[in-house]
Amino acid sequence: MAHQFTVAQSPWGADDEIGALNHITPESRVNVLARVDGSRVFDLSCEYFVGMPTWSALGDPAYQIYKTHDPAGDVVTNPLGLDDDANKLTSYTGDAIAMYTHSGTHIDALNHFGCHGEIFNGYHAHEHFGNRTWNKCGVDTIPPIIARGVMLDIAALKGVEQLEPSYGIGPDDLQAAAERQGVTVQTGDVVIIRTGRYREWPDAAAFLTDEPGLNLDGAKWLVEQGAMIVGADNVAIEQLPAQNESTWIPVHMYLFNEAGVPIIEVLNCEELSAAGVSEFAFIGLPLKLRGASASPIRCIAMPLRAE
C-alpha cells in the first residue's frame, strides 16, 4: 500500500523552520571538530560550467555564465568615462550567472516540496508565499552545517562501480553497508549515500537518466537511526522512477514534510570511497538566498580520529 503523506508539526515548536537541523548545537560542533584529522580534506562539490548536467525534466533552466565586463570591450565602451590611458590600463573583467537553484551540488530547504500547499510545521502557501518566495523554511534559515558525516557506500557493498539503473536502496542495503564499513548512524549525522552514479559526471544523458537511489523504506530507516541531513551522489537522491507510490518523488516528500530533514544532492563521493573514509567531519555552507527552496553548497569532508 502506498504511503499516505502528511505534514508534521515540528517537535522544536510552532515557529521552527529548520527541523532536524536543530540537532546542530555548540556542543555537537565542538565534539566533531575536536576529532578532526586536518591532514586531509575531501572536496565533495562539483564545478559549475556551461553544459553541466542539471535537472531539466520539468523545463528548469540550464546553468549560464556571461561576461558583464570584458578587457577589450571596456576599451571600446569606456563605461566610467576614463581618460584614454587609464581606460586602456585598467583591464576589467566581470560576469553574471543564471541558474536553477537546484543545480550542481546543492541543498534543498524544507519548503521545496509540500502536501496540498502546506510545508513542514504547518506553514501554508496561502499565508506564507509571496510573489517570489516563501517567507518560511527558506534556504536562508539553514545554519552553517558542521556535523559528523557518514558515507554509506552501497556501490562498494555490491562490488560494482555503480548501481544498476533505477536500483532502490532499502534498509537492508544501508544496514549491510554500515556493518561492512564499521560505522553506525547516530542522531545529528549527515549521511551520504554513494550509488556510483557520479562516475557518469558530466555526461548529462548518463547522469540524469533512471537513477539508482534511496527508496522510501531506506529513507525511513535513516531517519529512525537519527540522520539530520541525507545526501547522495545523484541528482535527486532517490530511486527514479519511484515504485508503487502515490507521488513521483516520495523520498523528498517524506524527508521534508514528515521528518524535517533537508537533502543534499550531486555530492562527489569518489575520492572518499577510494580512500576508504567512512566517518568524517562534514562542513557545508549554503548561500543565504532569502526564501529560496535550494542553494549551491560547498561541502568538504575531513576524516575523524578514533575516539
Side-chain angles (χ1 to χ4, degrees), residues 10-11 13 41 69 89 100 113 137 171 196-197 202 208 260 273 277 281 284 288 297 303 306:
S10 173
V41 176
H69 290 278
L89 171 67
Y100 185 42
F113 280 97
C137 298
R197 178 53 69 99
L208 299 173
S273 178
V277 174
K288 298 180 77 170
I297 183 170

Side-chain angles (χ1 to χ4, degrees), residues 46 49 51-63 100 102-106 162-167 195-213 233-242 248-249 265-267:
C46 72
F49 54 92
M52 65 183 285
T54 58
W55 182 260
S56 57
L58 299 181
D60 296 295
Y63 173 85
Y100 185 42
H102 299 262
S103 298
T105 308
H106 65 277
Q162 68 173 290
L163 299 178
E164 64 188 58
S166 298
Y167 181 85
T195 69
R197 178 53 69 99
Y198 196 87
R199 298 175 69 89
E200 302 292 353
W201 183 274
D203 182 336
F207 185 71
L208 299 173
T209 304
D210 292 338
E211 62 182 77
D233 59 355
N234 55 8
V235 74
I237 203 172
E238 60 185 283
Q239 175 190 25
L240 289 180
W248 64 278
I249 201 89
E265 293 159 324
V266 194
L267 286 161

